[in-house]
């Protein structure tokens, strides 16, 4: 599939299913104050805070009656947040940004970002036939992709969870570091829980997604962990608590209470002594439906890479949910980086309005109120420059388009 064809197909996928305009307009209005708050999640390990806030009674403690539901795909989460079927959800930080920029929906549509849920803990798994790529070796990975191209007439195919989110952009950044033009491979969208099945059947050569699917693939020998996301970009922004715009406006006090409950849950999830209990709770069919040890090991930073590649241990940069508050404040600079990458990789039809994205999507005042309530310190790096470990390119949020010129 050529680049233009892929982008057209991705745009079509992102646009469907769409509700009829009259129904959409009706659904977007906020329901009455005090109605149960509907909160969605997807089956990846970083669902922890929104689910544990329910299991630990933190929503009730903060005066909220919550209905927490498992959703089938990120496209469904997006549509339900837009049309009001969900009031809030665990969500990719990049999903509201991609929607607003027109990468994954109608440009200008708003899904609010209340707080961040976690950093790290995602990754890239490759099929067992590409094991010569080893761990975090972009030169070897590039050679393995070229060998795969020679051995099979089908284009190399990699899966991610949703257009324009961290998984999509990290996958493209990895390909670029491997000296592989992302336009020369197929990049497809698959729900997280279906990644492993597609790897088993050989329909994809690798997938970029959250845990526990990398640990599961390594455990059963279907594939191996080629990159942990924290080695690609240490402490990168990952999932957020997102909200329907009408709910965030008309029922702001309730969103504030939900945010407080989820931030308390983030503190609990981040404590190493709770990893075992959380893994046991999340392993069941209502949540991840995956082996307990595969979940717990990766939560604790213990990585069996699979296929005889050995083990790797992460400590401070394991999947983190709190880190004394450094995880949870949404940064404007990170949002601008996402927008700039849409330009870099040709995902946006027009140059995004960087300032409008920050103003329309982030809720810094709400997060500051909740952090003050819980005496959580606020980081002071909202617009600080940073670099990804995969390429070392310094990105300055104050000059996003100028920063793009630094990529070779």
């Amino acid at each position: 599939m050529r680049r233009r064809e892929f982008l057209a197909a991705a745009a079509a996928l992102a646009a469907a299913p769409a509700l009829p305009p009259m129904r959409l307009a009706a659904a977007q209005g906020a329901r009455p104050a005090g109605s149960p708050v509907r909160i969605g999640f997807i089956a990846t390990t970083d669902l922890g805070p929104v689910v544990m806030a329910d299991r630990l009674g933190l929503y009730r403690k903060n005066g909220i009656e919550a209905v927490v539901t498992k959703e089938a795909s990120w496209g469904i989460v997006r549509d339900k947040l837009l049309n009001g079927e969900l009031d809030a959800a665990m969500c990719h930080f990049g999903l509201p940004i991609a929607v607003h920029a027109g990468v994954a929906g109608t440009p200008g549509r708003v899904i609010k970002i209340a707080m961040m849920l976690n950093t790290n803990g995602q990754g890239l798994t490759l099929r067992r036939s590409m094991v010569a790529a080893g761990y975090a070796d972009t030169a070897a990975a590039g050679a393995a992709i070229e060998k795969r191209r020679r051995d099979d007439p089908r284009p190399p195919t990699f899966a991610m969870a949703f257009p324009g989110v961290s998984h999509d952009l990290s996958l493209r950044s990895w390909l670029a570091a491997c000296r592989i033009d992302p336009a020369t491979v197929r990049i497809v969208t698959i729900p997280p829980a279906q990644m492993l099945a597609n790897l088993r059947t050989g329909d994809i050569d690798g997938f970029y997604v959250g845990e526990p699917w990398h640990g599961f693939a390594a455990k059963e020998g279907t594939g191996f962990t080629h990159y942990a996301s924290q080695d690609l970009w240490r402490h990168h922004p990952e999932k957020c608590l997102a909200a329907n715009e009408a709910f965030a406006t008309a029922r702001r006090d309730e969103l504030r209470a939900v945010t407080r409950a989820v931030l308390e849950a983030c503190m609990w999830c981040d404590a190493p002594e709770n990893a075992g209990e959380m893994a046991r709770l999340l392993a069941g069919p209502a949540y991840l439906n995956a082996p307990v040890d595969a979940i717990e090991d990766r939560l604790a930073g213990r990585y069996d890479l699979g296929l005889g590649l050995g083990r790797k241990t992460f400590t401070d940069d394991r999947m983190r949910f709190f880190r004394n508050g450094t995880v949870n404040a949404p940064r404007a600079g990170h949002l601008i980086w996402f927008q700039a990458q849409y330009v870099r990789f040709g995902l946006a039809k027009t140059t995004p309005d960087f300032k409008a994205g920050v103003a329309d999507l982030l809720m810094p005042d709400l997060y500051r109120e909740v952090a003050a309530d819980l005496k959580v310190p606020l980081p002071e790096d909202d617009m600080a420059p940073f670099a990804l470990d995969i390429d070392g390119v310094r990105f300055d949020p104050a000059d996003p388009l100028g920063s793009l010129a630094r990529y070779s």
Side-chain angles (χ1 to χ4, degrees), residues 83-204:
N83 68 27
E85 290 181 64
L86 287 175
D87 299 306
M90 158 221 187
C91 185
H92 273 281
F93 177 63
L95 189 151
I97 308 168
V99 170
H100 191 268
V103 172
T106 304
R109 298 295 301 276
V110 171
I111 296 171
K112 291 290 191 179
I113 297 170
M115 63 171 284
M116 302 302 298
L117 301 181
N118 70 295
T119 60
N120 308 323
Q122 320 300 296
L124 174 61
T125 282
L126 299 178
R127 65 191 302 182
R128 61 180 299 121
S129 62
M130 298 176 70
V131 70
Y135 183 79
D137 187 334
T138 53
I145 293 171
E146 293 300 347
K147 182 180 185 301
R148 156 69 178 80
R149 205 191 299 272
R150 293 191 298 270
D151 293 344
D152 191 330
R154 299 173 301 169
T157 302
F158 300 95
M160 50 78 187
F162 192 80
V165 302
S166 63
H167 298 172
D168 185 12
L169 300 180
S170 296
L171 178 59
R172 293 172 191 273
S173 296
W174 168 73
L175 287 166
C178 293
R179 298 296 186 260
I180 301 292
D181 183 351
T184 67
V185 305
R186 291 184 70 228
I187 298 177
V188 298
T189 303
I190 297 176
Q194 297 176 24
M195 295 285 189
L196 197 51
N198 280 270
L199 192 71
R200 290 181 187 129
T201 59
D203 292 328
I204 58 175

Side-chain angles (χ1 to χ4, degrees), residues 173-395:
S173 296
W174 168 73
L175 287 166
C178 293
R179 298 296 186 260
I180 301 292
D181 183 351
T184 67
V185 305
R186 291 184 70 228
I187 298 177
V188 298
T189 303
I190 297 176
Q194 297 176 24
M195 295 285 189
L196 197 51
N198 280 270
L199 192 71
R200 290 181 187 129
T201 59
D203 292 328
I204 58 175
D205 296 294
F207 58 77
Y208 201 108
V209 73
E211 294 292 356
W213 309 114
H214 305 289
F216 202 164
K219 182 180 176 64
E220 69 173 31
T222 308
F224 64 98
T225 301
H226 171 61
Y227 246 111
S229 63
Q230 50 267 45
D231 274 340
L232 189 151
W233 179 6
R234 192 168 187 257
H235 300 319
H236 62 90
E238 187 48 41
K239 301 302 189 301
C240 70
L241 176 67
N244 167 269
E245 184 180 20
F247 175 76
T249 302
R251 300 173 64 184
R252 185 182 185 279
D253 286 348
E254 289 171 83
L255 176 57
R256 183 178 180 277
V258 169
T259 302
R260 178 178 172 127
V262 172
L263 184 53
E264 290 179 299
C266 284
M267 298 178 194
W268 186 92
C269 293
D270 203 52
E273 62 270 21
N274 293 329
E277 181 180 351
M278 184 161 70
R280 288 189 294 274
L281 285 170
L282 299 185
Y287 303 118
L288 296 176
N289 196 26
V292 174
D293 56 349
I295 301 169
E296 183 177 359
D297 281 349
R298 296 280 171 126
L299 269 175
R302 301 186 298 264
Y303 282 45
D304 179 351
L305 303 177
L307 299 183
L309 292 179
R311 302 182 67 87
K312 186 172 176 62
T313 300
F314 296 95
T315 53
D316 180 60
D317 53 354
R318 61 185 168 81
M319 183 181 286
R320 299 301 303 267
F321 299 94
F322 183 59
R323 277 186 77 237
N324 198 33
T326 59
V327 167
N328 309 107
R331 272 73 158 181
H334 290 161
L335 189 152
I336 292 169
W337 179 87
F338 276 76
Q339 294 172 311
Q341 300 310 300
Y342 301 156
V343 177
R344 177 190 178 194
F345 292 118
L347 299 178
K349 295 178 181 178
T350 60
T351 301
D353 186 332
F354 297 104
K355 290 184 179 180
V358 172
D360 289 349
L361 303 180
L362 297 186
M363 303 185 71
D365 291 345
L366 182 138
Y367 179 75
R368 279 196 291 268
E369 292 170 14
V370 172
D373 284 350
L374 296 176
K375 296 181 171 53
V376 172
L378 290 171
E380 298 180 355
D381 57 354
D382 188 53
M383 287 287 287
F386 57 88
L388 273 64
D389 300 272
I390 188 74
D391 53 34
V393 175
R394 181 178 182 274
F395 181 81

Side-chain angles (χ1 to χ4, degrees), residues 46-95:
D46 35 22
L47 61 84
V50 297
V51 166
M52 293 312 305
D54 187 38
R55 298 295 296 261
L56 296 170
L58 297 174
Y59 294 126
R60 289 193 305 275
K61 172 189 166 187
N62 285 278
I64 296 295
E65 180 185 349
V67 178
V68 182
T69 62
K70 185 176 184 177
E71 306 298 335
S73 73
W74 289 114
I76 290 173
V77 169
R78 172 203 57 193
D79 292 343
K80 287 187 174 183
L81 282 171
L82 285 171
N83 68 27
E85 290 181 64
L86 287 175
D87 299 306
M90 158 221 187
C91 185
H92 273 281
F93 177 63
L95 189 151

Side-chain angles (χ1 to χ4, degrees), residues 10-35:
L13 177 66
L19 293 171
M22 290 185 66
R23 180 182 163 194
L24 183 62
Q28 283 180 321
R31 291 171 298 112
S35 303

